[in-house]
Amino acid sequence: MPKYVAFLRAINVGGHLVKMDQLRLLFEALGFDNVETFIASGNVIFDAKLKTPAALEKKIEGHLLKALGYPVETFLRTIDEVAQVAKAQPFAAKELNRDGHRLYVGFLTANPSEASKAELAKCRNAANDFSIAGREVFWLCRVKFSETDFSGARLEKILKLKTTLRNINTPKRIAAKYQSVK
């Protein structure tokens, strides 16, 4: 059975508090195996019988809407896809290792259009830089998150795609823990 990671949006932010034990039980109720949560920000790792990822996303979203009472966007990736994100080098190491610089990854529902990519490129400035690779956008934030003029909501508006953001350390830690456990 393939192992997936569900990156969930709207979990433990904006007043939507969900205990990780509850989230694990919700995924088990869908018939998934080996369900684990990873940090309390809506990352769920599980095994599922081979289905299309899009069908799994819809199944999860429908179940979570019914159980939690609000929409929870779901961004599904295989462990191998998460490992590719973790290994990505979208910016020079010198830039990434500079004090105060943080790298975020936005998991998208689809590949952005060329027009959307061009629009995002216009947002590059001294504080923010972006690199797109398939269904992921890498955001180098050179200032504190609270000091940037950019946000996940603005990213969605520009790309015209739903997204959820994670610090790059999250996919790196998930890949390190699960990639060898296929």
Side-chain angles (χ1 to χ4, degrees):
M1 271 193 283
K3 187 171 285 298
Y4 291 97
V5 181
F7 295 98
L8 306 175
R9 191 169 93 178
I11 296 292
N12 293 340
V13 294
H16 294 141
L17 300 178
V18 180
K19 292 194 181 293
M20 294 301 99
D21 286 344
Q22 178 189 9
L23 193 56
R24 184 181 44 77
L25 291 172
L26 288 169
F27 272 69
E28 288 174 350
L30 287 167
F32 301 143
D33 294 318
N34 302 314
V35 178
E36 295 181 61
T37 58
F38 191 83
I39 64 177
S41 61
N43 310 298
V44 183
I45 297 89
F46 62 96
D47 296 336
K49 292 179 180 136
L50 193 56
K51 285 190 174 187
T52 64
L56 285 172
E57 286 173 342
K58 294 299 172 210
K59 182 177 181 177
I60 293 165
E61 288 173 351
H63 185 66
L64 293 178
L65 174 61
K66 186 176 178 183
L68 300 175
Y70 62 92
V72 178
E73 297 286 341
T74 302
F75 304 83
L76 211 59
R77 301 296 189 268
T78 65
I79 288 295
D80 287 342
E81 289 171 327
V82 173
Q84 290 301 323
V85 169
K87 292 177 196 170
Q89 297 292 319
F91 302 97
K94 180 175 112 177
E95 186 80 27
L96 292 173
N97 295 328
R98 194 167 286 157
D99 272 352
H101 290 197
R102 302 226 174 2
L103 182 61
Y104 298 96
V105 60
F107 293 95
L108 306 170
T109 53
N111 292 346
S113 69
E114 292 304 316
S116 294
K117 290 178 185 179
E119 194 65 29
L120 183 62
K122 293 177 188 175
C123 297
R124 289 183 172 126
N125 58 34
N128 304 296
D129 200 354
F130 307 93
S131 176
I132 296 175
R135 295 182 299 155
E136 282 76 40
V137 58
F138 295 91
W139 169 19
L140 176 61
C141 186
R142 297 181 182 104
V143 296
K144 290 181 184 175
F145 196 78
S146 61
E147 296 173 359
T148 183
D149 63 345
F150 210 79
S151 67
R154 187 169 171 203
L155 181 65
E156 280 189 345
K157 186 175 180 180
I158 290 167
L159 295 179
K160 299 175 182 69
L161 293 169
K162 297 288 184 183
T163 187
T164 189
L165 290 170
R166 298 293 189 277
N167 184 296
I168 193 64
N169 292 329
T170 299
K172 283 183 176 187
R173 289 174 56 200
I174 290 171
K177 181 173 181 180
Y178 295 97
Q179 189 174 27
S180 62
V181 183
K182 289 186 184 178

